[in-house]
Structures are given as structure tokens and as C-alpha cells.
Amino acid sequence: MQPQIQAATQTSALGLAQHRVLRNTYMMLGLTMIPTVIGAVVGVNTNFSFLAANPIMGPLLMLAVMFGAMFGISALRNSVWGVVALLAFTFLMGWWLGPILQVALGLSNGPQLIGMAAGTTGVVFFGLATYVATTRRDFSFLGKFLFVGLIMLILGMVANLFFQVPAASLTISAIAVVLMAGYMLYDVSDIVNGGETNYVMATLRVYIDIYIMFTHLLHLLMAFAGNRE
């Protein structure tokens, strides 16, 4: 009887720990929206003319800065500085929304498209997250496929910086939306099933999923529903 009691106690403790990580992740995710919005406001009012002068180097440099920031957050994830680094990172990401938001706000229905992209992203995330948390289904089998897809996506985005093909850009955005939906399932599943036990890293992973889906949804909405009159 004693081994069964110990096993049940360990299972209960593990379940509580997983629930705590998921709860802290959602709380931290909500908090990251504050610096993101502040950064976006700053970005909308920033002159990004340097991107026009450096259409290739600008995005590549920003991509390098973002990856560097993510490595920094990973190194600090077990201290309060990890939270500080995460919030600073989300401010930077909000600021980097400036160029696409400026284009969107230049459309007569731009604010509506931004709201639609944000709302759709939120509905998709919470729908998928609720499904995973309720069923506790393990989506770890998606990991390799998603990683290969992500590498191909990044290569496609970098290549299109040089070739600037509109149709390719829209295709990349459509693929990115589907890929991020897969990553939402994978990342939330990893948290729910105990694969990710650090809420700072869990928040970072989910935040990036949401961020990328939002930007590419907005790009697609501007292309197909933007009113330029």
C-alpha cells in the first residue's frame, strides 16, 4: 500500500507543479502585453526610414538582435533578471511592430484590421490552449515537423528579402500562421505535460507563437481586405 500512496502523492505533486507553471505562464503572458503595447506605440511614432535605406541589412540585424535577446533570457531564466529581460524583449518586439502598424494605419480600415488580427490570434490561441489543457493530449510528436517547417520559413523569409516577390510573401505569411498554430499546440502541450518547467521560458515560447501569428495575419488581412481609398 505504501508504494501506491507514494506514487499517488508524487503524481499529485507533479500535477500541481504543472498547473503552477501554466498559471504563471498565463499571468506572465498577460503582463508582457503591457510593454508590447507601449513598444508598439513608440514604434508607430518612430521614423523607420533607415529600413528603406537598408531593406536587407535592417531586418537581418533586427533578427540577430532578437535571437541574441532570446539567448539572454534563457541564460537568466532562473532569476528575477529573466523576468526583466523578458519584459525588455517584449518591449523591443512591440517597437518592431512599428513598420507594419504604420502601413496598416495608413489604410482607411487599418484600425479594424489590426483589431481583427489581434482578436483572431487571441481566439485561436485560447481555443487551442483550452483544448490541450482540457484533454492533456501530448503533441510532442509535432516537434520535428515544426522545427523543419520553422527553418524552411526563416530561409524563405530571408530569401524573399532579396527577391521581394509579393506572391511569395503572402505564401510565407499563410504558412507562418499555420505553423504557429502547430507551435501553440506543441508549446502548451509541453507545459501541460511537464516538459517545460520554467514559466519564463514557457512565456517566451508562447509569446513568440502569438507575435508571429499576429504579424502574419495582419499582413494577409492588409493584402486581401485593406482599403487603400
Side-chain angles (χ1 to χ4, degrees), residues 13-36:
L14 181 60
L16 289 173
Q18 293 166 348
H19 176 74
R20 189 181 306 113
V21 173
L22 186 63
R23 181 196 62 199
N24 290 343
T25 298
Y26 285 156
M27 290 175 60
M28 194 66 199
L29 190 63
L31 186 61
T32 60
M33 294 300 112
I34 298 174
T36 300

Side-chain angles (χ1 to χ4, degrees), residues 13 21 25 55 57 93 101 114 146 158 166 226:
V21 173
T25 298
M57 291 306 299
M93 297 295 279
L101 292 180
I114 294 171
L146 292 173
V158 172

Side-chain angles (χ1 to χ4, degrees), residues 128-192:
L128 294 177
T130 300
Y131 171 74
V132 174
T134 302
T135 63
R136 303 186 70 86
R137 184 174 175 183
D138 186 1
F139 285 94
S140 60
F141 66 91
L142 292 176
K144 293 182 180 179
F145 299 103
L146 292 173
F147 182 73
V148 172
L150 181 62
I151 295 300
M152 297 299 293
L153 180 68
I154 293 174
L155 291 176
M157 293 173 65
V158 172
N160 207 43
L161 287 175
F162 294 90
F163 299 108
Q164 296 291 317
V165 180
S169 179
L170 293 175
T171 301
I172 288 170
S173 286
I175 293 172
V177 170
V178 175
L179 190 65
M180 288 308 108
Y183 261 111
M184 287 175 183
L185 287 171
Y186 176 78
D187 289 333
V188 175
S189 171
D190 204 30
I191 299 168
V192 169

Side-chain angles (χ1 to χ4, degrees), residues 4-226:
Q4 289 86 341
I5 294 175
Q6 290 178 343
T9 302
Q10 290 173 351
T11 301
S12 177
L14 181 60
L16 289 173
Q18 293 166 348
H19 176 74
R20 189 181 306 113
V21 173
L22 186 63
R23 181 196 62 199
N24 290 343
T25 298
Y26 285 156
M27 290 175 60
M28 194 66 199
L29 190 63
L31 186 61
T32 60
M33 294 300 112
I34 298 174
T36 300
V37 171
I38 295 173
V41 172
V42 175
V44 167
N45 293 282
T46 298
N47 184 353
F48 286 95
S49 58
F50 64 90
L51 289 179
N54 302 280
I56 296 176
M57 291 306 299
L60 290 179
L61 179 61
M62 192 61 191
L63 192 63
V65 170
M66 289 178 180
F67 275 112
M70 286 188 283
F71 280 116
I73 294 169
S74 179
L76 298 169
R77 64 185 180 275
N78 292 317
S79 71
V80 67
W81 292 108
V83 175
V84 174
L86 177 61
L87 294 177
F89 173 77
T90 57
F91 172 84
L92 176 66
M93 297 295 279
W95 174 77
W96 190 239
L97 287 173
I100 191 172
L101 292 180
Q102 288 175 358
V103 174
L105 293 173
L107 304 173
S108 59
N109 61 341
Q112 291 89 340
L113 295 180
I114 294 171
M116 189 180 301
T120 302
T121 302
V123 169
V124 171
F125 169 70
F126 284 111
L128 294 177
T130 300
Y131 171 74
V132 174
T134 302
T135 63
R136 303 186 70 86
R137 184 174 175 183
D138 186 1
F139 285 94
S140 60
F141 66 91
L142 292 176
K144 293 182 180 179
F145 299 103
L146 292 173
F147 182 73
V148 172
L150 181 62
I151 295 300
M152 297 299 293
L153 180 68
I154 293 174
L155 291 176
M157 293 173 65
V158 172
N160 207 43
L161 287 175
F162 294 90
F163 299 108
Q164 296 291 317
V165 180
S169 179
L170 293 175
T171 301
I172 288 170
S173 286
I175 293 172
V177 170
V178 175
L179 190 65
M180 288 308 108
Y183 261 111
M184 287 175 183
L185 287 171
Y186 176 78
D187 289 333
V188 175
S189 171
D190 204 30
I191 299 168
V192 169
N193 292 292
E196 178 59 77
T197 59
N198 183 283
Y199 74 92
V200 172
M201 294 306 298
T203 303
L204 176 63
R205 290 169 60 175
V206 174
Y207 177 88
I208 292 173
D209 299 341
I210 292 172
Y211 183 95
I212 295 176
M213 177 175 281
F214 167 76
T215 55
H216 286 282
L217 269 177
L218 181 56
H219 180 218
L220 291 171
L221 287 171
M222 288 192 300
F224 293 109

